[in-house]
Amino acid sequence: MSRRSPIAIDFGSQCVTALQLERCANGLQVRAAGRQRVPVAADGAGPDARVEAARQLLRRAPFRGNLATTALGLDTVTTRHLRIHGEGDTDPGEQISARLHDAAAGDDGVVIQPLPVAELFEAGERRLELLCCIAPEPVIEARIALLERLRLRPQAIELAPLAQLRALLHSTPRESFAHLDLGADHSRLGFVRAGQPFTVRRVPVGGEACRQLLEQRLGIELPSLQALGDESELDASLCAAAVVDALAEPIEQLVQRLTEGIRYCGALFQGRAVNSVRVTGRLAHLPGLTAELGRRIGLRTETFDPLTDIAPGPLLHAKPALRSGYTTAIGLCLGSMQP
């Protein structure tokens, strides 16, 4: 008997992405999927524009049911690492509240979700390392209202980088790696050790700014540049060199943030905790970009297909860059289908 997931809706700054998975005898498969560009007015894309884009998307694809799951990004959710006592009579909730008192001191309430990421020993005492996600209640209420305007019933609201990591762990559940997602407005960096996510960070390098930089410096639009890199080995080599040269400043920022994160992980776990880097996002498939990051960092670095071990269904013929845009939605669906 088949079982389908709630509809996962990812409200991006430029597109609304939706996907629904279905479990059947042969495993997981994509039941319905689609992306709809959000029209941007002079004052930006507001809730009404996103609602209309989502409505068009839900009408166009064969989604079923009215349960939905969605995610908030690091532009609205903050994260803190806390180390608390793991033994004794002290209540973990009280320790967290006391340490994060400043985060809840404003007029608006917040929701704090702690995620255990490591168990450490300091001076003979057991300590727990927690990743705490802090979301303002008005932001959560606004997202619930957005889904209700679509006549959907919210089942869960997650943190987008953690949902993405779940998609990457689906095919290799015990791996240790860094994940770089090149988003439109900013990038997200996540780290996983032995299948356990333990930190996520926001990186101020956005795909849209990189696209503009490429077009200004190379005088060629992004789709044409990507197509040119596919024509021959020589063209791919020339395109890769041109891309790396044109994006020298953003690449330097990405390398610096990746290196800092890898060092932090090594210090936390007293040894090398990252074996590779997986890159998603439309720009991840630019000629030469991923290879240059790997060369500079000194770790195996590769683009990742979030549909690995999932039957693609309507996304069978989608290009890799397009499939990469479903990473968050796939992770949301996988989370809702876990026992």
Side-chain angles (χ1 to χ4, degrees):
M1 183 177 179
S2 64
R3 174 195 169 199
R4 61 171 180 262
S5 71
I7 302 168
I9 302 187
D10 179 19
F11 293 95
S13 61
Q14 296 183 344
C15 294
V16 176
T17 304
L19 183 133
Q20 189 170 38
L21 290 181
E22 188 173 50
R23 187 183 297 279
C24 56
N26 296 326
L28 291 174
Q29 64 182 15
V30 178
R31 176 187 175 84
R35 303 192 80 190
Q36 180 69 37
R37 193 163 187 85
V38 178
V40 180
D43 58 349
D48 289 339
R50 289 189 173 90
V51 166
E52 183 54 36
R55 281 176 179 159
Q56 294 179 33
L57 175 55
L58 293 173
R59 286 196 297 262
R60 192 171 65 243
F63 294 100
R64 292 292 180 268
N66 65 349
L67 282 179
T69 178
T70 188
L72 300 174
L74 290 173
D75 54 336
T76 56
V77 177
T78 58
T79 60
R80 296 266 194 94
H81 271 265
L82 296 183
R83 192 167 295 179
I84 65 173
H85 293 283
E87 298 175 340
D89 298 329
T90 307
D91 181 68
E94 292 179 358
Q95 294 185 66
I96 294 170
S97 297
R99 298 280 297 277
L100 296 180
H101 175 73
D102 60 319
D107 295 333
D108 297 324
V110 298
V111 174
I112 301 174
Q113 180 63 49
L115 175 69
V117 297
E119 183 175 313
L120 307 168
F121 287 88
E122 292 182 340
E125 293 185 351
R126 188 169 69 94
R127 301 294 181 97
L128 294 178
E129 181 88 8
L130 303 175
L131 172 64
C132 295
C133 304
I134 308 165
E137 287 183 350
V139 172
I140 295 175
E141 292 166 358
R143 181 55 58 90
I144 292 173
L146 195 62
L147 292 175
E148 288 178 341
R149 290 181 62 184
L150 297 169
R151 298 186 177 181
L152 296 172
R153 289 194 296 125
Q155 184 185 66
I157 299 178
E158 297 193 38
L159 181 62
L162 294 179
Q164 291 184 326
L165 290 175
R166 186 185 297 122
L168 272 65
L169 283 165
H170 173 65
S171 58
T172 52
R174 298 297 298 169
E175 286 292 306
S176 300
F177 59 87
H179 171 223
L180 174 64
D181 179 64
L182 299 168
D185 298 324
H186 62 269
S187 297
R188 295 172 279 207
L189 186 58
F191 290 88
V192 174
R193 180 178 181 267
Q196 174 63 56
F198 61 87
T199 193
V200 292
R201 301 179 178 185
R202 191 172 188 261
V203 182
V205 175
E208 183 60 23
C210 289
R211 180 192 65 79
Q212 295 175 4
L213 192 61
L214 280 171
E215 294 181 358
Q216 289 171 3
R217 292 183 173 178
L218 301 181
I220 184 172
E221 294 185 350
L222 186 60
S224 300
L225 181 64
Q226 290 175 315
L228 185 62
D230 294 335
E231 289 184 2
S232 70
E233 186 174 333
L234 176 60
D235 288 335
S237 177
L238 293 173
C239 281
V243 165
V244 169
D245 185 58
L247 296 181
E249 297 92 342
I251 288 174
E252 178 63 31
Q253 282 186 279
L254 294 173
V255 169
Q256 180 179 346
R257 294 301 182 93
L258 277 163
T259 303
E260 290 173 354
I262 291 169
R263 287 173 179 168
Y264 167 74
C265 298
L268 180 63
F269 295 104
Q270 301 179 353
R272 185 171 176 176
V274 174
N275 299 322
S276 64
V277 179
R278 299 177 179 180
V279 190
T280 57
R282 184 182 179 190
L283 286 190
H285 298 273
L286 276 174
L289 179 60
T290 300
E292 178 66 11
L293 290 174
R295 186 187 70 81
R296 297 275 298 275
I297 297 167
L299 288 177
R300 177 168 53 89
T301 302
E302 57 194 2
T303 57
F304 185 83
D305 183 358
L307 288 172
T308 301
D309 290 344
I310 298 174
L315 297 177
L316 177 62
H317 300 294
K319 293 183 177 180
L322 179 60
R323 290 162 71 124
S324 192
Y326 287 91
T327 305
T328 301
I330 291 170
L332 289 170
C333 289
L334 290 172
S336 67
M337 300 188 81
Q338 289 179 345

